[in-house]
Amino acid sequence: MVNLAIAYPLLLVALTAVAIYVQVTSSTLSLPISTGTSVLTIILPFLAAANVFYTPLLQLFLKKKVNSAALQQLTPVALQVIQGVLTVVLATLAAERFVPGQLLECSLEGTWMRMWKAHDGRAIERIQDAFNCCGLRSTKDRDWPRLQCSSLYPARHNSCLVPWRTSMQRTAGLEFAVAVAVGILQLIHLALFRLRNSGGARARGGYRRLVQSVGADPRQGLLENGVAEAADADEGHGAAGEDAANGNHRDYGTVEDGPNHRLEPSGLGEEGNNWR
């Protein structure tokens, strides 16, 4: 079985590396992915690691330093809620970017137009060089250098929209995968944590019930009965001794002081050995 103590950190490191790749690719190709969301995607695995490894330490610290029981219970829950909300938001935003549709087309069109109007030739050339293309929708559509890309690079016969859109979808898909993977790891952690706590509680409760029903009451009952019987026997012997000294005789164990009949085995055959 895979050791979770080793697999979990390795998965988080791998997810962090993928998130960094998303940020670098988005910056290099000027993809319409917000820098804030890509940075939060990088932070998300670290937040998940903090919730897993440092939440128990935080609980111990709060128990020692904070007297409020509500604060001790709400602080770890608040961290999990923050991680869950951040995961859902990032996954939703990433899904909007890699799903084909008018929103994706408009996002790419708007980003290219802003670079063209801002005369950001370096950003446009990085895209054209990465995909060996010129222009957005055609080789002469807002290319860089303006209306010179095709003449400077005769081997480039394709526009940049299709490969740029494909790169956008792949990068956004990786961002979505990171968010979903962190969310799944969070659910697994919460399930294991709850299972461990509920199992320990059931074990402790079962042990208490076992002690109360089997260990405590019967023993106390047996001890109390034994002490009571011993006390009665001592009193009976003392009373019998006094009666013998006074010449009196009493038959105990019978109804209305009748004769004390005693039943004994006959001793015949092998059955007599069982009574001896």
Side-chain angles (χ1 to χ4, degrees):
M1 184 178 179
V2 179
N3 190 352
L4 293 179
I6 299 177
Y8 196 89
L10 291 179
L11 286 174
L12 292 179
V13 170
L15 293 175
T16 304
V18 173
I20 294 174
Y21 170 79
V22 169
Q23 167 61 24
V24 172
T25 303
S26 175
S27 177
T28 302
L29 298 178
S30 301
L31 298 175
I33 296 177
S34 174
T35 304
T37 58
S38 59
V39 172
L40 288 176
T41 305
I42 297 174
I43 296 175
L44 187 60
F46 291 99
L47 180 60
N51 280 334
V52 171
F53 296 106
Y54 295 105
T55 298
L57 299 178
L58 179 61
Q59 289 177 338
L60 294 176
F61 175 79
L62 292 176
K63 287 180 181 180
K64 293 180 180 180
K65 301 296 183 180
V66 179
N67 296 326
S68 176
L71 184 60
Q72 294 177 5
Q73 296 177 358
L74 291 178
T75 301
V77 175
L79 295 176
Q80 295 291 344
V81 171
I82 292 173
Q83 179 185 342
V85 171
L86 182 60
T87 300
V88 172
V89 171
L90 291 177
T92 303
L93 294 176
E96 293 177 352
R97 298 189 187 102
F98 75 82
V99 175
Q102 191 66 27
L103 181 62
L104 178 61
E105 295 289 335
C106 292
S107 179
L108 293 172
E109 177 77 24
T111 301
W112 191 284
M113 180 59 72
R114 283 193 298 271
M115 293 186 296
W116 173 262
K117 289 183 176 181
H119 301 278
D120 192 356
R122 294 183 59 184
I124 296 176
E125 285 185 341
R126 281 199 301 267
I127 299 173
Q128 294 179 153
D129 294 340
F131 302 116
N132 195 26
C133 59
C134 288
L136 180 61
R137 297 185 179 274
S138 68
T139 56
K140 296 183 181 296
D141 178 25
R142 290 164 287 182
D143 59 334
W144 198 272
R146 296 189 175 191
L147 302 178
Q148 297 180 12
C149 180
S150 298
S151 59
L152 292 176
Y153 305 99
R156 298 181 180 181
H157 303 290
N158 299 320
S159 62
C160 298
L161 178 60
V162 174
W164 194 39
R165 180 178 58 200
T166 302
S167 177
M168 171 67 180
Q169 291 176 319
R170 181 176 60 251
T171 305
L174 291 175
E175 185 179 19
F176 176 80
V178 170
V180 171
V182 172
I184 293 174
L185 291 177
Q186 182 183 12
L187 293 177
I188 293 174
H189 167 66
L190 292 176
L192 293 177
F193 182 77
R194 182 173 182 179
L195 181 63
R196 184 172 64 248
N197 289 345
S198 61
R202 285 198 300 268
R204 290 190 294 269
Y207 176 75
R208 293 192 189 98
R209 290 193 296 270
L210 181 64
V211 171
Q212 291 174 359
S213 61
V214 177
D217 291 342
R219 289 182 182 177
Q220 292 177 356
L222 291 174
L223 290 176
E224 291 175 357
N225 293 335
V227 172
E229 291 174 358
D232 292 340
D234 293 339
E235 292 177 357
H237 287 301
E242 293 178 357
D243 291 339
N246 296 330
N248 298 328
H249 177 72
R250 294 182 181 179
D251 294 326
Y252 293 94
T254 61
V255 180
E256 296 180 356
D257 294 334
N260 187 5
H261 298 284
R262 182 178 181 183
L263 181 63
E264 293 183 357
S266 62
L268 298 177
E270 296 180 356
E271 296 178 355
N273 296 328
N274 297 330
W275 291 83
R276 294 175 184 173

